[in-house]
Amino acid sequence: MPTTQTPPPNAARGATADLCDIYITDPVDKVTHGGVQIAQPIFKDLGGKIRFSGKISTVKCFENNPLVRKTLEEDGHGRVLVVDGGGSLRCALLGDNIAEMAYKNGWDGIIIHGCIRDSEDIGKMPLGVKALNTYPLKSSKRDVGLRDVPLTFAGCNFEPGNYVYADKDGILVSKEELKAN
């Protein structure tokens, strides 16, 4: 009977499956996973960059995106913006103009607990974008929202300064930067 060896996990690739193999060694029926959280699989990959990671910055807003725009105007090198839009499916918190600005300002990715629009154009940008879905209506601009506050959705706690790793397999959140052993 032929045997094939499984290659060892390679955290340097940044793949969430490899990071799980290294940092979550207990079986699924254990209660805790140490310092690494796995988000529920509720997000769609909508950006042109599927694998992305970085230090978390957060925005909490509901059906209003002025603070999303303001945050993405900043230098984003090494960061991922995590937006809690309350899971609303009634409007988009990100469109192609803001996404292009995010890319030009060096953001590695954006995770939105809500919707985006202009998905065809955003899908061509080398920017990581995960969201619940798409919706063609833009958001309101009357409520600013909150910046750099802890967020909880998809079974994870997203805290400013922590780290997030995302790819087609899912989203991981860690208090510490995950590196190759």
Side-chain angles (χ1 to χ4, degrees):
M1 175 179 242
T3 61
T4 34
Q5 288 190 337
T6 304
N10 180 0
R13 287 186 331 137
T16 58
D18 288 334
L19 293 170
C20 279
D21 289 349
I22 294 168
Y23 291 96
I24 304 176
T25 57
D26 292 328
V28 70
D29 55 351
K30 291 272 186 163
V31 176
T32 64
H33 291 300
V36 179
Q37 303 170 75
I38 304 172
Q40 296 165 344
I42 59 175
F43 297 94
K44 294 182 178 186
D45 289 301
L46 298 167
K49 183 177 184 181
I50 301 301
R51 184 175 293 158
F52 61 97
S53 63
K55 200 173 255 197
I56 296 173
S57 292
T58 65
V59 167
K60 185 177 180 91
C61 57
F62 184 74
E63 298 182 351
N64 290 266
N65 75 346
L67 196 52
V68 172
R69 173 185 281 280
K70 184 175 181 182
T71 303
L72 293 171
E73 288 174 348
E74 300 173 5
D75 176 30
H77 286 86
R79 295 194 290 165
V80 172
L81 181 62
V82 178
V83 179
D84 185 355
S88 173
L89 302 175
R90 298 180 350 133
C91 67
L93 296 175
L94 180 75
D96 60 346
N97 292 331
I98 297 175
E100 183 177 8
M101 179 177 54
Y103 165 69
K104 288 180 178 176
N105 288 333
W107 289 86
D108 207 42
I110 305 165
I111 298 170
I112 298 182
H113 188 227
C115 291
I116 72 161
R117 66 187 205 155
D118 304 312
S119 61
E120 186 174 344
D121 294 325
I122 290 173
K124 296 174 186 172
M125 295 179 195
L127 176 70
V129 177
K130 282 186 176 280
L132 296 178
N133 217 325
T134 60
Y135 201 78
L137 182 67
K138 65 182 173 182
S139 74
S140 180
K141 311 292 184 231
R142 62 181 150 49
D143 183 20
V144 176
L146 301 171
R147 173 80 190 269
D148 291 325
V149 295
L151 307 176
T152 301
F153 59 83
C156 280
N157 299 312
F158 299 87
E159 296 191 28
N162 286 356
Y163 294 86
V164 64
Y165 302 84
D167 63 15
K168 242 183 182 2
D169 290 336
I171 299 171
L172 303 180
V173 179
S174 175
K175 290 183 185 229
E176 306 294 324
E177 186 173 13
L178 304 180
K179 297 181 179 181
N181 290 349

